[in-house]
Amino acid sequence: HRSWSVASLEGTDRPCCIVRGNQTEYCCLNFQHIASRMAEAKEKRQNTWEALLRRAIQRRVYTDSTLIVLGDTNCGKSSLLKSFQGIVRNQEHPYVADYSYIKVKNRHEVDSDETLAHMAVWQLDKPSRKELIPTFLKSSGLERAVFMVVLDLSQPWNIDESLKTWLKVAEDISKQLMKEMEDEEAKALKMKVSRYVQTFTDVSMRDNTEAKDLNVLPGETKIDPYMPDINTGTPLIVVGAKGDYFSNYLQKSSTAGDRFEFASRRLRQAALKYGASLIFTSVAGEGTNMQLLQDYIFHRMYGFEMKQPANAACTVDSFGLYIPSGFDSIELIDTVRSEKSPFSDDMEFSKVYPNPNQESKRRTEEEKVKAMKNSQFYRLLQQKLSGGSRSVTRSSESRSPRQGGPRGRHQPTKSNHAVRQFFQSLLTGTGKKAAKPGDPAAKPEDKPPPANSTLAVPKK
């Protein structure tokens, strides 16, 4: 009877109101639908702003930092850095120290391509230049620095001395910079390292809710300020480069397993003393622990999540050792050594890993024959000729062919006499030519040597 018209809201598939003549009646059901959609849009806009605000806050937290890479010349530092994602090398920097920087990104986040900060990278290959390190840290300071010591595993006979040298460099520089700080600031840096080492929980143990110390109340942790033994106030990472060369070197030995255990055990002991981490790497092929190393550096500096578990059960073939700071202990290290191992902890690396180049050099030196000077050679030759002439002359006087003496080795031949006369002319400088074999003048009974000659027969 009455005309009905339906008005629809733009963008919806339901009528928003019903019109009857000049009066409008709203449908409560449709109005609630519109209201819910408006609320969702408002919440979405609010969440977008909150995400932008949160990202801006995080960006202020992720400040620039510095990575100091220490290691001997040609130990593999540059090859390691080249494999890092986001590395940019500065070719125009002076050659005193190699400089580059890394674009810091958190690859575990949704916006993994966003650059959060920059990490300056300085390489140093000579301990004598350690005074340059404070200059490298001017922009970030010691509190925003990470030290990485790179060892050349392809020369295992040198890694012990190399590790001691570069750890001492890091320790000395840290002490020098801490003297310029306030005491409270220096203590805070050391306490930060101690807290990380003592409260570390590996990925494989995060599901285990057991407390390490039953005397510690929930939410409370005891921190020993004297652990680790040597605290530099900065994260320390010990990297064994060229692990593939080390594996190939050991496979030539019948005690390959014991030698690998010796190296890993000794390096873990040194790392534990400094509260450092230990990672074996290789850039060969697809690489070994390369992504893990970069993730761990970002983890220590920026607190990014570390999803790779520790790997202490390594062999010669699978050498990818990964011991994060705070994971190791003396008890764990002692389990590495085999009871039948012929190598004790007090042995030198050069005894366990002989240097093949040095052995080859030693054998070459033994085979060398040192030539005498000309004057020494002629003097020695003159003495030998003089002694030989006297013995020959005496034997010829005592045994004459006419008396029936035996003919043989004691009588000088014409050829031997000609050779002696030739060298005698060189030594005395008479300028006379040596007599030819068969010349009657060469016979000793016809032409005896001159009186002033060293070959003359001594008077009785």
Side-chain angles (χ1 to χ4, degrees), residues 220-389:
E220 183 179 333
T221 306
K222 290 182 179 180
I223 303 298
D224 184 2
Y226 300 103
M227 178 181 177
D229 295 339
I230 301 177
N231 193 335
T232 61
T234 56
L236 272 174
I237 304 174
V238 178
V239 179
K242 306 180 185 180
D244 54 322
Y245 285 93
F246 185 47
S247 177
N248 294 335
Y249 171 85
L250 292 178
Q251 288 177 357
K252 300 176 182 178
S253 172
S254 58
T255 56
D258 294 329
R259 293 174 191 270
F260 183 84
E261 291 177 356
F262 175 84
S264 60
R265 184 173 66 251
R266 288 285 297 273
L267 294 180
R268 288 173 65 178
Q269 290 172 354
L272 179 64
K273 184 177 181 181
Y274 280 81
S277 56
L278 178 62
I279 305 174
F280 282 6
T281 64
S282 172
V283 297
E286 298 180 356
T288 302
N289 287 345
M290 297 310 305
Q291 184 62 60
L292 182 146
L293 175 60
Q294 185 174 5
D295 290 347
Y296 189 77
I297 294 173
F298 289 166
H299 165 72
R300 292 303 305 269
M301 178 50 60
Y302 295 102
F304 295 166
E305 184 180 3
M306 195 70 188
K307 296 186 177 182
Q308 298 93 326
N311 183 18
C314 297
T315 61
V316 178
D317 297 324
S318 58
F319 53 84
L321 186 70
Y322 166 47
I323 308 294
S325 298
F327 173 84
D328 229 343
S329 63
I330 297 177
E331 292 76 16
L332 286 176
I333 296 175
D334 289 341
T335 60
V336 176
R337 182 179 178 182
S338 174
E339 296 181 356
K340 298 181 180 180
S341 175
F343 310 114
S344 59
D345 290 343
D346 57 350
M347 293 182 66
E348 298 180 359
F349 272 68
S350 57
K351 300 294 184 182
V352 180
Y353 309 102
N355 186 352
N357 298 329
Q358 194 171 19
E359 290 293 325
S360 176
K361 182 179 179 182
R362 183 181 60 82
R363 288 193 298 266
T364 303
E365 290 178 350
E366 290 178 354
E367 295 173 358
K368 284 183 178 179
V369 178
K370 189 176 180 181
M372 293 184 294
K373 294 182 179 179
N374 292 339
S375 58
Q376 295 177 347
F377 173 73
Y378 287 132
R379 191 178 302 111
L380 179 63
L381 183 60
Q382 184 177 9
Q383 293 175 356
K384 289 184 177 181
L385 289 174
S386 300
S389 174

Side-chain angles (χ1 to χ4, degrees), residues 1 24 37 77 129 140 152 160 186 192 200 232 288 294 321 361 371 408 424 441 448 452 459:
H1 303 282
T24 304
R37 292 195 62 178
K77 301 185 296 297
R129 297 176 180 172
S140 62
D152 188 355
D160 186 36
K192 183 179 179 180
F200 171 81
T232 61
T288 302
Q294 185 174 5
L321 186 70
K361 182 179 179 182
Q424 179 62 31
N452 58 351
K459 297 181 180 179

